[in-house]
C-alpha cells in the first residue's frame, strides 16, 4: 500500500503542519457510540470530528465557520435512510469540492453506483476497520500522494472461488497458480506472500475450493481488522469471565474450523504473544481457549497471507521464525501488477464483464488508448486498485466504451503521455495469448488482436501498419476483410 506524505524524507514546512493538524471531518450520524469510535480513530491521525445527528443539522453546519474549514464528510446511510443519495447530491451542490464518504451496512453494488453518481467519493461497508477508514480519508484529501483518487473502493462484487477466475499469462503469475493448484490438493499449511491487492485472498479461496476440505468449515480473519487485544480470543475463544466483559463462552476460529480451513490474512500483524500461542497450537494440535483449564484437539489447515516477506521479518526479529516456517509449508509469491503489465488488457476486460453484470451498470468495452494508459501506470494498489478504478470509471461512463478520457486521474498522474502512437515500455500490452482456462487462443484471434493493436498504435496510418507488420497493404486489407476488422478500430 502506498505510503502517505509522512513516509517521504522531506519535512513539511510550518504551514503544511498547521494544515495537517487542523483537518476537520464532519460525521453525520445519530449513534453516539459509533460517533465516539470514529472520532477516536480519526483523532489518531490528527483529525478533529464534528458530529451532526441529522441532515438538517449537517446542511446548516456547512455555513458555519467550522463548516467552512471541513476537509471531508462521513455520512452514515441510516441517518437520511432512503434519501442518502439525495443528501449527498445536496451536500455536493453546496460544497462541490468537499469529498463525501458514505458508511453503510449494505454491500449492494447498486447502492454503491447510486452513491457515487450522486457525488460520493467512496463507499465503506460497516463494520469498517480503522485502517480502511483512515486510508479512505487520506485518499480523498491528500493530493500529493501518488495514489490520489485511485485508492481502492471496497470490493463490491463477490469473488469467484476457482483458479479459472485468476486472470493472467505472465510466467511468474502462472508459476504461482501452478504451485497453488498443486498445494491445494494436499493438507499442508500454505503461505501466500505479495503486495496488498495482488489477489492473495482470492487465491486462498480458490485453494480451499479445490482442496479435500472444500465442503468443511471455512473462516476468513483479517488480523489487521481485529483489535490487538481481541485477536487471541477471536482465534482461540474464551470462557465466561476469562477477562472483564467476557460474559459468555466464545468458540474461537481454530475450534470452529476443526476439520476445515482457516484463512489468516495479514498474518504478519499478529502480536508476539499470539504468535507463540499459535505456534504451540500448530505443533501440538491442541488449542486452549482463554480462561479454560483444558484444551481441545483440532485438525485444521491454515492458509495465511502476508504483505511482507515473513522470512525477512523473522531475520529482523519481528516475527517468530519457527512460526514462519510452520505456516510456510508451501510458500507462494504473487507478483505485483507492475511486473505483469501484459495481463492488464485481459484483466480489464474480465473486470468490465463482471462490472457490467452489476445492477445499475452496463457492459462496456475498452479502447486501445485506454489500455495503453492503464499499462503505463505502476499500480501501487495492484489488481484490486485496477478493479476499483475500472468500477469508478464505469459508473460515470455515458457511452459504451471506456477511453483514455475515462481516466482523468491517471492522465493527470502520468502527465501528457501520448497513448495514441509511438513506442511504449509495454509492447504487446493489448495482446492476450491464453484463454481464461489457460489454453492458447486460436491463431486467428491473436492475429486479429495484433492488427487492431497496430492500427491503434500507428493511429490508422495503414501504410505504416503494413510496413511494421511486414506485409503489403493489399495483404493487410485482405486480412482486415477476412477477420472482420474495421480499420477505424
Amino acid at each position: 500500500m502506498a505510503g502517505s506524505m509522512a513516509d517521504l524524507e522531506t519535512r513539511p514546512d510550518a504551514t503544511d503542519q498547521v494544515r495537517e493538524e487542523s483537518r476537520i471531518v464532519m460525521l453525520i450520524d445519530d449513534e453516539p457510540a459509533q460517533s465516539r469510535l470514529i472520532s477516536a480513530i480519526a483523532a489518531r491521525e490528527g483529525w478533529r470530528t464534528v458530529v451532526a445527528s441529522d441532515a438538517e443539522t449537517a446542511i446548516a453546519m456547512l455555513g458555519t465557520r467550522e463548516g467552512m474549514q471541513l476537509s471531508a464528510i462521513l455520512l452514515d446511510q441510516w441517518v437520511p435512510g432512503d434519501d442518502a443519495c439525495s443528501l449527498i447530491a445536496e451536500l455536493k451542490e453546496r460544497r462541490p469540492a468537499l469529498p463525501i464518504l458514505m458508511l453503510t451496512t449494505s454491500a449492494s453494488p447498486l447502492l454503491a453506483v447510486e452513491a457515487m453518481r450522486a457525488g460520493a467519493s467512496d463507499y465503506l461497508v460497516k463494520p469498517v476497520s480503522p485502517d480502511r477508514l483512515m486510508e479512505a480519508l487520506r485518499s480523498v484529501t491528500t493530493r500529493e500522494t501518488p495514489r490520489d483518487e485511485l485508492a481502492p473502493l471496497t470490493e463490491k462484487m463477490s469473488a469467484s472461488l476457482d483458479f479459472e477466475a485468476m486472470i493472467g499469462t505472465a510466467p511468474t503469475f502462472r508459476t504461482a497458480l501452478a504451485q497453488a493448484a498443486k498445494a491445494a490438493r494436499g493438507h499442508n499449511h500454505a503461505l501466500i506472500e505479495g503486495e496488498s491487492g495482488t489477489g492473495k485472498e482470492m487465491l486462498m479461496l480458490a485453494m480451499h475450493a479445490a482442496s479435500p476440505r472444500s465442503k468443511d468449515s471455512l473462516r476468513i480473519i483479517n488480523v489487521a481488522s481485529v483489535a490487538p487485544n481481541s485477536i487471541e480470543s477471536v482465534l482461540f475463544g474464551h470462557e465466561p469471565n476469562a477477562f472483564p466483559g467476557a460474559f459468555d463462552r466464545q468458540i474461537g476460529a481454530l475450534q470452529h474450523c476443526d476439520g476445515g480451513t482457516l484463512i489468516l490474512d495479514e498474518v504478519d500483524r499478529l502480536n508476539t504473544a499470539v504468535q507463540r500461542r499459535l505456534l504451540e497450537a500448530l505443533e501440538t494440535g491442541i488449542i486452549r481457549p482463554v480462561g479454560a483449564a483444558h484444551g481441545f484437539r483440532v485438525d485444521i489447515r491454515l492458509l495465511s497471507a502476508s504483505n511482507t516477506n515473513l522470512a525477512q521479518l523473522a531475520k529482523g526479529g519481528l516475527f517468530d521464525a519457527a512460526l514462519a516456517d510452520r505456516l510456510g509449508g508451501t510458500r507462494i509469491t504473487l507478483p505485483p501488477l507492475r511486473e505483469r503489465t501484459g495481463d492488464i488488457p485481459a484483466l480489464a476486460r474480465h473486470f468490465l464483464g463482471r462490472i457490467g453484470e452489476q445492477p445499475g451498470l452496463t457492459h462496456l468495452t475498452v479502447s486501445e488508448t485506454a489500455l495503453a494508459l492503464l499499462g503505463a501506470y505502476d499500480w501501487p494498489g495492484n489488481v484490486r486498485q485496477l478493479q476499483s478504478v475500472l468500477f469508478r470509471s464505469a459508473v460515470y461512463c455515458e457511452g459504451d466504451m471506456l477511453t483514455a478520457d475515462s481516466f482523468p486521474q491517471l492522465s493527470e498522474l502520468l502527465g501528457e503521455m501520448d497513448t495514441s502512437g509511438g513506442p511504449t515500455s509495454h509492447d504487446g500490452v493489448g495482446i492476450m495469448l491464453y484463454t481464461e482456462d489457460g489454453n492458447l487462443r486460436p491463431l486467428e484471434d491473436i492475429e486479429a488482436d495484433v492488427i487492431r493493436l497496430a492500427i491503434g498504435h500507428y493511429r490508422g496510418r495503414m501504410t505504416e501498419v503494413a510496413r511494421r507488420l511486414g506485409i503489403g497493404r493489399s495483404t493487410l486489407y485482405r486480412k482486415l476483410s477476412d477477420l472482420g476488422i474495421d480499420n477505424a478500430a
Side-chain angles (χ1 to χ4, degrees):
M1 183 171 64
S4 67
M5 288 301 290
D7 296 323
L8 300 179
E9 294 181 352
T10 55
R11 176 175 297 179
D13 59 27
T15 302
D16 290 334
Q17 289 178 345
V18 171
R19 185 167 58 246
E20 288 294 303
E21 292 170 358
S22 62
R23 290 178 303 176
I24 303 175
V25 59
M26 178 166 68
L27 173 62
I28 306 174
D29 195 346
D30 59 358
E31 295 183 11
Q34 179 170 265
S35 298
R36 288 193 297 270
L37 176 61
I38 289 178
S39 298
I41 293 171
R44 296 176 193 170
E45 295 200 19
W47 287 82
R48 183 161 62 87
T49 305
V50 294
V51 180
S53 60
D54 53 54
E56 293 74 16
T57 302
I59 292 173
M61 192 178 291
L62 289 180
T64 66
R65 179 178 179 182
E66 200 167 43
M68 296 304 293
Q69 299 174 6
L70 291 176
S71 296
I73 294 175
L74 276 170
L75 165 65
D76 190 304
Q77 180 211 353
W78 290 110
V79 176
D82 294 336
D83 296 327
C85 292
S86 298
L87 177 57
I88 291 172
E90 183 169 356
L91 292 170
K92 290 298 288 186
E93 182 178 353
R94 293 171 181 265
R95 297 287 294 278
L98 194 60
I100 300 173
L101 296 86
M102 186 165 79
L103 295 164
T104 178
T105 56
S106 171
S108 165
L110 181 58
L111 182 57
V113 170
E114 292 175 345
M116 291 169 63
R117 285 178 175 162
S121 303
D122 207 344
Y123 174 93
L124 309 176
V125 178
K126 298 188 295 186
V128 58
S129 71
D131 286 349
R132 175 69 181 101
L133 175 61
M134 297 318 302
E135 179 186 1
L137 280 173
R138 284 194 299 270
S139 298
V140 297
T141 59
T142 309
R143 295 202 59 84
E144 294 88 346
T145 167
R147 294 183 60 188
D148 174 46
E149 306 240 0
L150 293 176
L153 300 169
T154 51
E155 293 214 13
K156 308 300 187 300
M157 299 169 290
S158 59
S160 300
L161 301 181
D162 54 60
F163 286 105
E164 291 185 2
M166 303 290 287
I167 306 299
T169 61
T172 51
F173 183 71
R174 300 306 300 184
T175 297
L177 290 191
Q179 288 180 297
K182 181 179 179 180
R185 298 190 291 270
H187 292 276
N188 288 340
H189 306 309
L191 174 64
I192 318 297
E193 295 177 326
E195 295 178 8
S196 178
T198 49
K200 298 186 295 297
E201 181 177 320
M202 186 175 178
L203 182 62
M204 290 187 290
L205 289 171
M207 291 177 68
H208 171 72
S211 76
R213 300 171 182 248
S214 60
K215 299 188 183 302
D216 296 312
S217 298
L218 170 70
R219 182 162 291 186
I220 304 171
I221 294 176
N222 186 302
V223 176
S225 67
V226 180
N229 60 351
S230 300
I231 188 65
E232 183 178 20
S233 177
V234 169
L235 290 176
F236 295 91
H238 64 250
E239 292 295 305
N241 304 315
F243 49 83
F247 302 113
D248 301 306
R249 174 179 288 105
Q250 175 175 302
I251 296 177
L254 290 165
Q255 185 178 350
H256 174 84
C257 293
D258 185 18
T261 304
L262 174 62
I263 289 178
L264 282 182
D265 201 1
E266 297 196 65
V267 69
D268 51 302
R269 303 285 290 271
L270 284 174
N271 63 58
T272 303
V274 175
Q275 288 179 36
R276 288 195 294 265
R277 284 207 65 187
L278 182 58
L279 174 62
E280 180 183 0
L282 295 179
E283 289 178 339
T284 63
I286 297 174
I287 60 105
R288 183 170 56 84
V290 178
H294 305 287
F296 303 90
R297 184 170 293 279
V298 296
D299 169 29
I300 193 168
R301 187 185 198 189
L302 270 182
L303 300 179
S304 306
S306 174
N307 294 342
T308 53
N309 186 293
L310 281 193
Q312 293 297 324
L313 289 180
K315 285 182 180 179
L318 301 176
F319 198 87
D320 187 280
L323 178 59
D325 288 340
R326 179 72 63 167
L327 294 175
T330 298
R331 288 177 181 265
I332 300 166
T333 301
L334 282 177
L337 187 55
R338 63 181 174 276
E339 293 181 6
R340 57 183 190 105
T341 53
D343 290 338
I344 287 178
L347 286 165
R349 294 181 178 112
H350 171 74
F351 286 143
L352 287 175
R354 292 178 60 200
I355 290 168
E357 296 172 354
Q358 305 308 307
L361 294 173
T362 60
H363 287 278
L364 299 173
T365 57
V366 57
S367 72
E368 296 297 340
T369 54
L371 290 174
L373 185 66
L374 295 174
Y377 188 56
D378 64 1
W379 298 106
N382 294 295
V383 176
R384 185 190 299 131
Q385 187 187 10
L386 173 64
Q387 176 176 327
S388 295
V389 170
L390 290 167
F391 186 93
R392 184 184 295 274
S393 296
V395 166
Y396 297 114
C397 183
E398 297 181 352
D400 57 3
M401 174 184 285
L402 295 181
T403 66
D405 292 337
S406 304
F407 306 96
Q409 297 91 352
L410 276 182
S411 298
E412 180 182 347
L413 289 170
L414 294 171
E416 298 299 321
M417 189 191 84
D418 181 7
T419 60
S420 60
T424 73
S425 61
H426 303 290
D427 293 336
V429 69
I431 308 302
M432 182 172 64
L433 299 180
Y434 296 88
T435 58
E436 293 183 6
D437 61 5
N439 293 310
L440 279 168
R441 297 174 65 210
L443 181 60
E444 181 180 89
D445 293 347
I446 295 173
E447 184 180 38
D449 279 358
V450 170
I451 292 174
R452 288 192 185 97
L453 179 63
I455 292 172
H457 191 71
Y458 296 104
R459 290 178 287 182
R461 302 195 303 273
M462 305 308 286
T463 299
E464 185 68 3
V465 170
R467 186 173 75 83
R468 294 293 180 178
L469 292 177
I471 58 178
R473 279 176 58 91
S474 59
T475 302
L476 174 61
Y477 282 108
R478 177 173 55 77
K479 287 182 177 292
L480 292 176
S481 176
D482 292 344
L483 296 172
I485 299 175
D486 180 358
N487 62 12

